[in-house]
Amino acid sequence: MSSINLAIADDHKIFREGLKFTLEDCTQLNLIIEATNGKDLIDQIANNQPDVILMDIKMPEMDGMQATAYIHQHFPDIKILMLSMHNEDKYILDAMRLGASGYLLKNAEPEEILDAIVTVQAKGFYFNDNLSITMAKELLGVNFMHRLQQKDAKLNEREIEVLKLICEECSNTEIADKLFLSVRTVEGYRTRLFEKIGSKNVAGLVIYAVKNGIITI
C-alpha cells in the first residue's frame, strides 16, 4: 500500500506524543505536520499538504471546527478525521457538515484510529457505529427516511434486547456484560440482525428500531 502523509493538530503535547507512539509501528504512515492549533496547521499546509489530518476540536486561536471549514473549502482533497473528547451529537453533526470525513473519540483503540486513517484515505470517509447512529438520528429527525422500506423482520426477545443496546451505542463487550453472554454470541446476534433487517450498517438498525417502535429518539 502507498504511504499516507499525516498531520496531527492538537494543542496538548502529551496527547500528540501519545498518538505518535500509538502509530509509530505503522510504516504506511508518514507524519509530516504537528500543529498546536488551527492557524498553525493551515500555515503549515500551505507548503506541505497531508493526505489525512487528525484534528482536535478545542484548540486556542483557531479551533478544529474553524480549521475544518477552511481546509475543506481551500484544500478539498485533504481528508479530516476529528479526534475529540466530545461525544455529543451536536459536535459530531457540526463537524460533518463543515467537511470532516469521520469522527473518533480520543479514547478510541489504536487499531480503530489506524483503520480510520487508512479507510478515509481509501474511501473518502470513515463511519464507525457511533457516527452511524448519530447520522441515523439526524436523518430520522428531519423525516428524510420516510420512504425507506424495511424488511418484515421477525425478531425474538433476545435479538430485540441486543438491538436496543446497539442503538444505545454499546460495544459487543458491553452488550455481553449486560446480558451475561459471550462476546462471540453477541457477534452472532449482531450478524443475524443485519441479515434479518436487511441492513449493511448500524444506521440501518437504528432506523428499523425507531420505525418499529423498539426505541424512541
Side-chain angles (χ1 to χ4, degrees):
M1 292 184 289
S2 59
S3 63
I4 298 173
N5 289 328
L6 182 68
I8 298 175
D10 194 291
D11 59 320
H12 293 99
K13 183 177 180 180
I14 292 177
F15 181 78
R16 293 199 311 272
E17 293 298 322
L19 193 56
K20 285 160 55 179
F21 178 78
T22 295
L23 301 174
E24 67 178 1
D25 290 336
C26 181
T27 57
Q28 186 181 357
L29 300 182
N30 179 29
L31 180 62
I32 62 171
I33 291 175
E34 282 187 68
T36 58
N37 58 59
K39 184 178 183 303
D40 181 23
L41 174 66
I42 289 170
D43 288 344
Q44 294 190 61
I45 285 176
N47 299 314
N48 195 16
Q49 290 189 34
D51 299 306
V52 178
I53 299 170
L54 293 178
M55 179 91 76
D56 188 22
I57 289 181
K58 296 291 186 179
M59 295 184 291
E61 195 163 354
M62 176 185 280
D63 65 26
M65 294 294 195
Q66 295 170 312
T68 294
Y70 181 92
I71 292 167
H72 182 63
Q73 179 179 356
H74 294 87
F75 305 95
D77 291 335
I78 298 177
K79 311 300 186 301
I80 301 172
L81 283 170
M82 308 306 291
L83 194 57
S84 174
M85 294 173 57
H86 299 283
N87 194 28
E88 295 89 345
D89 288 353
K90 179 184 183 303
Y91 284 101
I92 298 172
L93 293 170
D94 284 350
M96 301 305 290
R97 291 189 185 107
L98 290 172
S101 300
Y103 195 104
L104 294 169
L105 296 180
K106 284 190 172 182
N107 63 358
E109 294 294 330
E111 294 80 8
E112 183 182 9
I113 297 174
L114 178 57
D115 180 51
I117 294 170
V118 174
T119 300
V120 80
Q121 171 64 7
K123 297 183 178 181
F125 61 89
Y126 176 77
F127 272 31
N128 57 10
D129 286 357
N130 188 40
L131 179 54
S132 295
I133 289 171
T134 299
M135 297 300 288
K137 289 177 181 177
E138 173 71 2
L139 293 173
L140 285 162
V142 299
N143 201 30
F144 184 78
M145 303 300 287
H146 67 284
R147 296 182 181 177
L148 181 69
Q149 298 297 317
Q150 296 287 353
K151 289 179 66 174
D152 184 19
K154 294 181 180 180
L155 307 182
N156 60 40
E157 183 177 347
R158 181 63 88 184
E159 288 168 341
I160 291 173
E161 288 179 325
V162 172
L163 177 57
K164 286 180 178 179
L165 291 172
I166 290 174
C167 294
E168 291 174 10
E169 304 177 30
C170 292
S171 67
N172 286 347
T173 301
E174 291 169 333
I175 295 171
D177 290 342
K178 289 176 183 291
L179 299 181
F180 304 102
L181 300 170
S182 70
V183 173
R184 184 177 294 274
T185 299
V186 173
E187 291 172 350
Y189 277 116
R190 182 184 284 255
T191 298
R192 286 198 294 276
L193 284 169
F194 283 127
E195 292 173 349
K196 283 189 172 185
I197 292 172
S199 173
K200 294 182 179 180
N201 52 52
V202 173
L205 299 186
V206 176
I207 292 169
Y208 174 87
V210 173
K211 289 175 72 70
N212 288 277
I214 295 172
I215 65 168
T216 58
I217 59 172

